[in-house]
Amino acid sequence: MDKFIIDGGRRLFGSVKTQSAKNSVLPLFAASVLTDKQVTICETPAIADAFCMAQILRELGAEVRFEDGNVVIDSSNAHSHIISSALTRELRSSVFMLGSLLTRFRRAVIAYPGGCDIGLRPIDLHLNALKRLGVDIVERDGYIYCECEKLKGAEIAIDFPSVGATENIMLAGVKAEGRTVLQGAAKEPEIVDLQNFLNGMGAKIKGAGTDVIEIEGVGSLGGVTYTPIKDRIEAGSFLIACAICGGEVEVEGVSGENLGMLLHKLRENGCKIHTKNDKIRLSSYGRLKCNRRIETMPFPGFPTDLQAQITALNTVCEGGALIVENLFETRFKYVPELQKMGADIEVRGRTAFVRGVKGLHGASVTAGDLRGGAALVIAALAAEGVSEVFDLTHIDRGYSDLEGKLRSLGAQIERVHM
Ligand code: UD1
């Protein structure tokens, strides 16, 4: 297992290009089995979750090639509707495969999905919606067995705007007979990206980015070559890194609109921010102020995927911050690691109370999940002295060449193979 060695306390300067969005790319992989024509996903980031999705598709019988940063998928020979537990346990996003496989084969068997250990992560919304589309579902021995004679368009409402459930419904409704209307849809930019990708294949979907998505089932879907949107969470992580270290950094690829709530909070901290088209420039000098309160919410609220990183920032700001995690109940597992670096944080249920300290010090810490791991790296960059961040498997799931990009901004960070 690799580790990072980080010698902290350096300001960050320069510009960094954002990778394609992990949370866009993964459902696009799933969508690629909806057609037997070739699909090319351009500029796919070299992250472990993408490699894992590729492996899932290969197990189904598809051919997947990584070529010059693009991924070319030919699933004309896909024949299996079963996803082995080894792969689904590694990657929760494999749950999208239910919608795709049902559209392609009318059947799907999938082991109960895994992913980051950040809470219960039930999939009841996915399963209830699929039932509305005419799918029979049996859960047995850790597997979910789904079957239907045909998918039939339906009026569906979901109680909570789940990103994954919204995407699954789009993937199951795209060729369903008739019309599917989803009320209460998630509005994340990655949902809009999936709509654009599917429409590029010949689907008839509208409304993504709003509460209501309308899908007119089509008879067949063709191939597509598509460049996904950039990763607002990666971009946000770099902005927060610059905020905590001090300096001036420009991230390229993400519009300010897609990070509105983060930028609002960073301005509250005292950062200066300028946005222009798809560039965001942040400068941070002197000691920042704590955010009084941050609550994670579905888009356009503050993203749960940036909660750990903004908490790390608040640990060294002046004053106190209250961080409420509304989406995933155990998403504060990184806190004891931050405490090893001198952070003053108390967690009670879904709320973290942060009292800003003057500075953090280097320590040996372990990354237990993807975004918590990013938060530890961010804290280590600002800490006085040397830190080791152990177990990079989670960080590698979502950030491609994190260390290279940070080094290009002036950070001192090395990966050591152990
Ligand atoms: C996606 C993102 C993840 C992000 C999350 C919230 C991908 C690959 N992952 O995850 O990075 O943190 O959105 O923005 O896009 N829920 C249920 N029942 C369900 C489904 C969800 O109760 O059937 C609950 C979850 O427990 C959670 C909330 O809904 O509390 C949000 O989950 P959801 O939006 O579904 O997240 P994911 O799609 O898993």
Side-chain angles (χ1 to χ4, degrees):
M1 259 187 267
D2 293 359
K3 68 172 178 184
F4 282 145
I5 298 182
I6 299 170
D7 192 0
R10 287 168 171 73
R11 286 183 175 178
L12 303 182
F13 291 93
S15 68
V16 67
K17 281 206 167 78
T18 312
Q19 69 187 23
S20 292
K22 169 178 92 69
N23 289 351
S24 258
V25 166
L26 301 179
L28 300 192
F29 267 92
S32 70
V33 304
L34 297 172
T35 176
D36 52 12
K37 302 289 187 308
Q38 186 170 291
V39 167
T40 304
I41 307 171
C42 302
E43 298 172 26
T44 301
I47 52 174
D49 274 8
F51 300 139
C52 188
M53 274 311 273
Q55 207 44 40
I56 288 176
L57 297 186
R58 289 190 187 110
E59 281 204 1
L60 299 175
E63 201 184 289
V64 185
R65 301 191 310 275
F66 284 78
E67 288 176 356
D68 307 326
N70 302 332
V71 176
V72 182
I73 302 165
D74 176 349
S75 52
S76 54
N77 289 325
H79 50 80
S80 171
H81 64 281
I82 301 169
I83 303 187
S84 74
S85 61
L87 289 167
T88 60
R89 285 187 213 290
E90 226 170 274
L91 182 60
R92 181 189 158 85
S93 328
S94 46
V95 74
F96 311 124
M97 294 305 302
L98 276 181
S100 301
L101 289 174
L102 282 163
T103 295
R104 177 85 185 247
F105 298 115
R106 310 272 174 269
R107 292 186 295 172
V109 177
I110 179 170
Y112 210 82
C116 270
D117 181 17
I118 52 172
L120 276 174
R121 306 194 89 162
I123 57 166
D124 53 317
L125 300 172
H126 301 242
L127 300 185
N128 289 336
L130 292 175
K131 285 179 191 162
R132 296 276 306 146
L133 293 167
V135 180
D136 292 322
I137 299 175
V138 179
E139 293 178 67
R140 204 174 52 227
D141 307 329
Y143 278 83
I144 302 162
Y145 296 81
C146 300
E147 214 171 54
C148 61
E149 250 167 53
K150 63 178 172 195
L151 288 160
K152 285 194 350 210
E155 302 262 331
I156 302 173
I158 48 178
D159 289 331
F160 185 85
S162 154
V163 173
T166 300
E167 291 169 342
N168 231 339
I169 292 162
M170 291 164 78
L171 294 166
V174 64
K175 285 176 73 182
E177 187 182 279
R179 194 174 138 86
T180 298
V181 179
L182 169 60
Q183 310 265 3
K187 295 183 280 202
E188 269 68 1
E190 292 77 18
I191 308 273
V192 179
D193 216 32
L194 178 61
Q195 169 177 283
N196 292 341
F197 178 88
L198 291 170
N199 285 346
M201 294 169 94
K204 288 193 179 152
I205 307 179
K206 60 181 188 190
T210 75
D211 296 324
V212 184
I213 298 180
E214 294 172 45
I215 308 167
E216 202 66 59
V218 295
S220 71
L221 293 170
V224 66
T225 296
Y226 190 82
T227 306
I229 54 164
K230 300 295 182 228
D231 199 313
R232 60 195 166 94
I233 305 301
E234 191 209 20
S237 303
F238 283 114
L239 292 173
I240 294 171
C242 178
I244 193 172
C245 291
E248 204 163 326
V249 162
E250 183 172 86
V251 295
E252 199 181 312
V254 176
S255 76
E257 241 167 67
N258 284 353
L259 274 174
M261 194 53 88
L262 173 69
L263 300 189
H264 166 60
K265 289 295 166 190
L266 289 171
R267 285 189 176 112
E268 224 173 72
N269 294 129
C271 298
K272 297 259 177 304
I273 297 172
H274 292 284
T275 62
K276 195 172 179 198
N277 303 325
D278 69 342
K279 292 199 176 88
I280 304 172
R281 174 172 280 273
L282 176 143
S283 58
S284 161
Y285 291 101
R287 188 154 184 225
L288 301 178
K289 286 192 225 42
C290 273
N291 299 108
R292 282 185 50 203
R293 185 185 178 93
I294 294 179
E295 284 208 40
T296 63
M297 294 282 184
F299 189 85
F302 192 91
T304 174
D305 287 350
L306 288 170
Q307 177 262 105
Q309 300 91 315
I310 198 93
T311 301
L313 169 62
N314 274 277
T315 62
V316 294
C317 293
E318 200 182 327
L322 207 141
I323 318 272
V324 184
E325 172 55 58
N326 287 311
L327 274 86
F328 296 109
E329 53 282 345
T330 58
R331 215 168 189 180
F332 285 125
K333 284 191 172 169
Y334 62 89
V335 165
E337 302 302 291
L338 279 185
Q339 286 165 340
K340 290 181 190 164
M341 302 171 112
D344 184 351
I345 308 175
E346 190 187 330
V347 176
R348 273 188 243 148
R350 288 172 173 269
T351 304
F353 299 85
V354 180
R355 277 175 294 267
V357 293
K358 285 232 165 75
L360 300 174
H361 54 79
S364 290
V365 293
T366 301
D369 68 84
L370 169 56
R371 306 304 173 183
L376 298 179
V377 170
I378 285 170
L381 291 172
E384 200 56 48
V386 175
S387 295
E388 294 175 296
V389 180
F390 287 96
D391 191 357
L392 304 184
T393 45
H394 291 290
I395 292 177
D396 290 341
R397 286 185 37 217
Y399 294 89
S400 70
D401 192 22
L402 180 61
E403 64 275 27
K405 288 182 170 181
L406 287 170
R407 267 199 304 271
S408 77
L409 298 175
Q412 183 118 351
I413 171 170
E414 297 296 333
R415 177 183 291 258
V416 177
H417 300 289
M418 296 170 69

